Amino acid sequence: MEIIRDYDLTARNTFGMKVHCACLVEYDSVGELEKLYAGHLYDLPKPVLHIGGGSNLLFTKDFPGTVFHSRIRFIDPDFQSTDCCVEVGAGVVFDDFCGWAAENNLWGAENLSYIPGETGAAAVQNIGAYGVEVKDIIYKVKCFDAVTGRIVEFSRDECGYGYRESLFKTDRKGRYVVTSVVFRLHRTPAPVLDYGHIRSAVEEEAGVSGDELLKVLTPGLVRKVITDVRKTKLPEPSETGSAGSFFKNPVVPKSAYDKVVSVARLSLGDNCTVPGYDAGSGFVKIPAAWLIEQCGWKGYIEGNVGVYGKQPLVLVNVTGNASPDEVVALERKIIRSVMEKFDIQLHPEVEHV
C-alpha cells in the first residue's frame, strides 16, 4: 500500500489536466482495501474518489480529497468450463486482457481492443465499441461494499447496465468498489463484424471474404483490425492528451432522427445519408461525431484545446497546457451548436470531477 500527500495528478489522467489531489492511495489487494476502510480512511482527506487509468475523466479543478487506485492485477482463467470464465483484477489494463483473450483464441473481447483504461473502470462505465459492450461478456462483478465492509458479487443482470451506464455510476455510486470482474468468453467463433466498415476491413486483412473468411477468422485477426482502426482515428494519450470519446452517441426517437435528416438535406442535398443505428423500441442511435462534424468543429483549435482532426468525437489538449476551464468552455460550445442546428442534446461520456 502506498499513501502520498499533495499528489500531482497530471500523469494520472489521460487528458493531462494539471491538477492535484490532497492524497493518493494505491492498494495491491482486497485485504489492503478492507484495512483502509476499517481504519486509515478516517485519517484521510475527504471526499474519496476511486479511479482507474484516468482515461474517462475530466478533472475540472484540484481534488480536495483522497484518490484511490487499485493495483489488483491478475488474470485467472477457468479452462475447465464449457465456455471460459476468466476473473480479472480491477487494476489490469483492459487492453492487456483483450490481448490475453486473443492469444488464447477466446472470442468476445476482440471488438473492445485498444480502449484505454483498466478493467474495474470498464465494468463501471460499460465501455463499448464496434457493436459490442463489455456487459456482453461480463458474467459477474466482485466489489467491496464501503458501507458494510463486505465483499459482494453482482450478476450481469444485477449491474443495471445501459448505454455507458451501470448501477455503479447511478444510485450506488461511491458505495461499491470493483475489485475484480469475471468474464465469460467463447471457444466457438462468434465474430461481430457488421458495424461500420469492420467487415470489409477484416476481409481486406484476411485476403478472403464470404464463407472463406470464417475458415481463417481468429480473435487475434479481428483484434488487429480493430486496433489498427482505432489508431488511425484516435490520438495516442502519450502524445496528445484526451479522454477518448468525449460525448455519448445520442439515442433519440425516430421522429427526432427524421428531423436531423431533413435539416441535413437542406445543406447536403436530398441524396445525403445520415448515419443511424436501430436502438429498438422506435429509437435510433446517431453518431455524435457526425453531428459535431456537420456543425464545423472537426479540426477546430481554440487556445490550448481543440477537436481532433481525425475524429470529432474527441476533444484534445493541443499544447499540453490546457486548463479544465478551456475544455469545459469548448464542450459547452459544441453542445450548444448541435442543439441549435439539429435540436439534439449531446451529453458528455467523460466523467467531470
Side-chain angles (χ1 to χ4, degrees):
M1 186 190 307
E2 189 172 10
I3 300 176
I4 306 174
R5 302 280 177 167
D6 188 25
Y7 187 83
D8 183 352
L9 290 167
T10 305
R12 296 286 181 150
N13 71 101
T14 58
F15 229 132
M17 293 295 100
K18 300 180 186 303
V19 294
H20 284 71
C21 62
C23 186
L24 174 77
V25 176
E26 293 194 285
Y27 53 91
D28 297 280
S29 67
V30 175
E32 288 186 351
L33 180 60
E34 291 173 321
K35 288 179 181 178
L36 278 166
Y37 274 83
H40 291 293
L41 188 64
Y42 300 103
D43 300 324
L44 297 174
K46 307 298 187 300
V48 168
L49 172 69
H50 288 262
I51 69 171
S55 59
N56 196 54
L57 290 175
L58 173 62
F59 282 100
T60 60
K61 58 184 177 180
D62 287 339
F63 187 71
T66 300
V67 170
F68 280 76
H69 178 249
S70 171
R71 294 192 301 212
I72 301 175
R73 297 171 182 145
F74 64 87
I75 297 178
D76 183 16
D78 177 11
F79 287 113
Q80 301 304 314
S81 58
T82 304
D83 291 325
C84 181
C85 285
V86 189
E87 185 173 0
V88 182
V92 172
V93 173
F94 185 75
D95 188 56
D96 289 349
F97 161 64
C98 293
W100 177 91
E103 289 171 3
N104 284 275
N105 206 34
L106 295 168
W107 291 89
E110 59 280 352
N111 284 40
L112 302 173
S113 293
Y114 214 63
I115 296 178
E118 297 175 356
T119 299
V124 171
Q125 177 72 5
N126 188 24
I127 61 172
Y130 303 108
V132 176
E133 293 180 321
V134 74
K135 71 173 179 61
D136 299 332
I137 59 172
I138 285 178
Y139 177 59
K140 61 183 175 181
V141 179
K142 297 184 178 182
C143 303
F144 171 76
D145 186 336
V147 174
T148 66
R150 298 177 179 176
I151 301 300
V152 295
E153 296 181 0
F154 295 93
S155 69
R156 176 176 63 182
D157 291 343
E158 292 173 329
C159 288
Y161 282 124
Y163 176 55
R164 303 296 179 267
E165 292 292 348
S166 70
L167 70 82
F168 310 114
K169 292 183 65 179
T170 52
D171 56 329
R172 309 291 177 87
K173 185 175 182 178
R175 174 170 178 173
Y176 298 111
V177 182
V178 176
T179 57
S180 65
V181 183
V182 180
F183 297 98
R184 175 173 282 170
L185 303 177
H186 310 288
R187 302 176 192 278
T188 304
V192 178
L193 305 179
D194 295 322
Y195 192 99
H197 66 288
I198 295 303
R199 180 176 293 276
S200 60
V202 169
E203 290 174 343
E204 182 178 352
E205 178 68 26
V208 295
S209 60
D211 293 340
E212 293 300 312
L213 179 63
L214 295 178
K215 297 178 182 178
V216 301
L217 201 57
T218 65
L221 191 153
V222 177
R223 169 175 163 77
K224 180 181 184 304
V225 170
I226 294 291
T227 300
D228 290 345
V229 169
R230 290 186 66 86
K231 284 183 176 180
T232 63
K233 289 186 174 183
L234 302 172
E236 290 287 346
S238 60
E239 299 173 2
T240 305
S242 83
S245 298
F246 197 93
F247 298 99
K248 297 178 183 179
N249 293 320
V251 178
V252 302
K254 179 64 164 51
S255 58
Y257 172 77
D258 291 340
K259 184 176 180 180
V260 171
V261 172
S262 297
V263 172
R265 285 177 175 172
L266 291 175
S267 56
L268 300 176
D270 291 341
N271 294 323
C272 78
T273 300
V274 177
Y277 301 91
D278 184 8
S281 302
F283 285 80
V284 178
K285 181 189 291 186
I286 306 174
W290 186 90
L291 296 169
I292 294 167
E293 183 172 357
Q294 299 310 309
C295 291
W297 291 105
K298 187 175 182 180
Y300 177 85
I301 295 176
E302 182 176 299
N304 296 302
V305 298
V307 179
Y308 193 51
K310 296 180 180 179
Q311 171 52 276
L313 196 57
V314 178
L315 304 190
V316 289
N317 183 350
V318 178
T319 65
N321 295 312
S323 69
D325 287 346
E326 286 180 290
V327 178
V328 172
L330 180 57
E331 170 194 358
R332 290 174 177 170
K333 288 179 181 179
I334 292 171
I335 290 174
R336 185 168 58 249
S337 69
V338 171
M339 172 59 75
E340 290 174 350
K341 183 166 185 174
F342 293 112
D343 198 25
I344 297 291
Q345 179 71 45
L346 290 184
H347 296 280
E349 180 176 325
V350 172
E351 182 176 359
H352 293 50
V353 179

